[in-house]
Amino acid sequence: MQTKKKGLFIEIIIPEKWADMSIETLLKDYWKVPKKLMHEWRMSKDVLVNGLAIPWNTTLPKDAKLLLPVYKSNPTSIEATYMDLSVLYEDDHLLIINKPAGLETHPSKPNQTDTLLNGVAYHLLLEGHDGELRHIHRLDQDTTGAIIFSKHALAGAILQRMLEERRIKRSYKALVHGKVLKKKGTISASIGRDRHHATRRRVSPSGQHAVTHYKVLQYDSKKDLTLIECSLDTGRTHQIRVHLSHLGHPLAGDTLYGGKPIFHRQALHAYQIKLTHPITEEPLVIHAPFIDNKNVFSE
């Protein structure tokens, strides 16, 4: 799919598979654009085809130039803070960052300005972008790896739906205590809050459904640590940490869930994201290299 940023608009060349769709069908049925955003665009008459505002039931001809006012959304309320970011992927629609340890994904209290979202806001401000900014998922403060951010509301809405439909595949590497005997397996155990601890979660029949798949990569007999790969069907808070602790193999360094403090943080890294681009529809496979592998991971 060919796209190009033009001021406050994105220009998309209509591909053959969209020919004979109307603007209404494309936005409402194909992209499932949120009603509020569709209403804004309909009222502003800013959706243009070959430079003209045409009725939304008009058929889109192949190779026509569709202009969408994606950057006319409300400005972000996130305060920009300078950070030295590791950018894994970036285009006009989304940004993928390799998050370091010790950094929250987004503000969790009023006036907080030291999170990754604040750093991304600064990065985009340097590009002249001050529109809607959204983190599509999150990582714990001391977990490293790839996080997706959207640059406009349309990409954000599509990515959020893709995440809910499990069409964004996130893979993690983790070091756990002990020798994991099963080479691969699935942990299906609901997760809820621990009423005895403000931040801790626990396996609970009354909690939220949670499924983690794992595969053993290697075992270090000297350190009694197993390197495993994990993927998630669900995205519950602390899911991998809770599930592996429940399995009897807590993450190394994860003292909250029974790990020994042999590292300065829990040994968990989101090393790969696979998805179909929300706008161009090209397949993306993004790898996040270990940030502090000398201290935590060994490749």
Side-chain angles (χ1 to χ4, degrees), residues 80-291:
T81 303
Y82 171 76
M83 291 179 191
D84 187 13
L85 300 179
S86 174
V87 177
L88 301 172
Y89 177 88
E90 183 174 15
D91 62 19
D92 292 329
H93 311 284
L94 59 95
L95 176 70
I96 302 179
I97 299 291
N98 197 2
K99 186 185 91 66
L103 196 63
E104 289 186 72
T105 299
H106 57 86
S108 58
K109 50 184 178 287
N111 303 316
Q112 187 175 0
T113 61
D114 58 352
T115 72
L116 184 58
L117 193 62
N118 298 107
V120 170
Y122 188 94
H123 175 84
L124 297 185
L125 200 59
L126 292 180
E127 299 177 347
H129 176 89
D130 65 348
E132 182 164 324
L133 168 64
R134 184 187 306 182
H135 64 282
I136 303 305
H137 55 105
R138 61 181 294 276
L139 293 175
D140 292 343
Q141 183 170 347
D142 286 328
T143 298
T144 56
I147 299 185
I148 307 172
F149 297 84
S150 61
K151 290 187 174 184
H152 54 76
L154 175 60
I158 297 172
L159 285 165
Q160 200 66 55
R161 191 177 72 254
M162 289 171 62
L163 188 71
E164 292 167 359
E165 295 173 353
R166 303 176 188 171
R167 291 190 288 129
I168 297 177
K169 305 297 183 183
R170 293 173 288 162
S171 299
Y172 299 75
K173 287 185 179 177
L175 272 177
V176 301
H177 291 291
K179 185 176 184 178
V180 180
L181 298 178
K182 287 184 66 176
K183 295 301 181 185
K184 60 181 179 179
T186 296
I187 307 166
S188 181
S190 298
I191 294 175
R193 291 183 177 274
D194 187 334
R195 65 174 183 242
H196 303 296
H197 195 286
T199 58
R200 192 164 54 201
R201 300 299 195 271
R202 65 184 180 91
V203 166
S204 168
S206 62
Q208 293 178 301
H209 175 65
V211 178
T212 302
H213 307 283
Y214 70 89
K215 178 173 68 174
V216 172
L217 299 177
Q218 65 184 70
Y219 172 64
D220 186 331
S221 58
K222 291 182 180 180
K223 298 178 181 177
D224 194 27
L225 295 173
T226 302
L227 178 65
I228 64 173
E229 178 183 304
C230 296
S231 60
L232 308 179
D233 281 357
T234 51
R236 309 306 178 197
T237 300
H238 297 181
Q239 179 172 320
I240 293 175
R241 300 165 66 188
V242 173
H243 272 175
L244 293 177
S245 179
H246 179 68
L247 193 66
H249 297 282
L251 292 171
D254 192 3
T255 56
L256 184 62
Y257 291 105
K260 298 174 184 177
I262 59 175
F263 301 124
H264 63 284
R265 66 176 182 91
Q266 69 261 12
L268 184 61
H269 177 72
Y271 83 96
Q272 180 181 273
I273 288 181
K274 296 174 69 174
L275 72 154
T276 298
H277 193 286
I279 306 297
T280 69
E281 299 184 357
E282 64 181 311
L284 297 177
V285 181
I286 308 300
H287 291 95
F290 293 128
I291 295 173

